[in-house]
Every structure is written in C-alpha cells, then in structure tokens.
C-alpha cells in the first residue's frame, strides 16, 4: 500500500552532500546531512537562522566567521550563529544532525 505522506526532495548542497529533513516545528527544523570528502564548501552568512550541528560520524574542519579552524569528530558539536558564514572541509565521510532555528516553515 502506498503511503499518503509524500517524501519531499531537498536540494543537494553539492554533488557530495545531501540533507533530509527529519522533523520540523514552528520554531526549529532538524536535518540529517551526509557528506563525503570532496574538498571545501562555503555556506553564505544567513541573518535569519542559527544552526547547531552534532557530528554523528566522521570528521570535518569547520571555520565559523573569523574564528580559527575547528576540527570536529564524531560526538562533537558546533554552532553557527545567525549572520555568520561557515566553511567546512570533510576529512572523513560524515553524518551530521543539524538543528536550524527558526524553522524554514516560519519564514
């Protein structure tokens, strides 16, 4: 029996990353990201959303705003405050759980 709930497709961040929305409320959205090593990726500053990331598996180097590079591994977390850009390099295939506030639904 086919499910009446349709799965939304989300744009890929790059050819080596894909996100899946796990849950969405009025004020927060939870996503699961899977990244394969493929060099560096820049995320433009986003004045409207704060991003909190938990590294479930893998390793990355993250640059947030003008802060020094931060190497994160499974079990680590980091925050990208609203208004700051973020650059990251995937060192090992990684899975991240990301909470975005406010939710894209509230925009």
């Amino acid at each position: 029996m086919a499910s009446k709930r349709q799965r939304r497709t989300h744009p890929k961040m790059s050819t080596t990353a894909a996100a899946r929305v796990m849950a969405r409320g009025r004020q927060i959205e939870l996503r699961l990201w899977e990244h394969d090593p493929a060099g560096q990726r820049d995320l433009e500053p986003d004045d409207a959303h704060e991003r909190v990331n938990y590294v479930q598996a893998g390793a990355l180097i993250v640059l947030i705003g003008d802060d020094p590079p931060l190497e994160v591994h499974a079990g680590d977390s980091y925050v990208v405050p609203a208004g700051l850009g973020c650059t990251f390099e995937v060192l090992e295939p990684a899975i991240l759980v990301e909470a975005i506030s406010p939710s894209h639904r509230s925009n």
Side-chain angles (χ1 to χ4, degrees):
M1 173 196 264
S3 171
K4 290 185 179 189
R5 182 177 171 180
Q6 293 181 340
R7 176 175 279 216
R8 289 184 57 188
T9 57
H10 297 277
K12 289 189 172 188
M13 195 168 70
S14 73
T15 57
T16 59
R20 178 170 62 97
V21 174
M22 299 168 60
R24 182 181 291 141
R26 284 189 217 130
Q27 297 300 317
I28 196 162
E29 183 171 298
L30 193 62
R31 295 181 180 182
L32 183 68
W33 285 98
E34 296 182 25
H35 301 282
D36 290 323
Q40 192 168 297
R41 172 77 176 145
D42 296 324
L43 299 177
E44 294 296 320
D46 182 350
D47 291 332
H49 299 96
E50 178 177 53
R51 299 172 184 274
V52 178
N53 291 274
Y54 171 78
V55 182
Q56 184 174 338
L60 304 98
I61 296 176
V62 182
L63 289 89
I64 302 166
D66 294 329
D67 289 346
L70 176 66
E71 187 169 325
V72 293
H73 297 268
D76 293 337
S77 59
Y78 61 93
V79 176
V80 181
L84 292 183
C86 176
T87 300
F88 63 89
E89 179 181 354
V90 180
L91 302 175
E92 300 172 10
I95 298 174
L96 281 77
V97 178
E98 178 181 58
I100 301 171
S101 179
S103 170
H104 286 284
R105 177 188 295 179
S106 65
N107 292 342

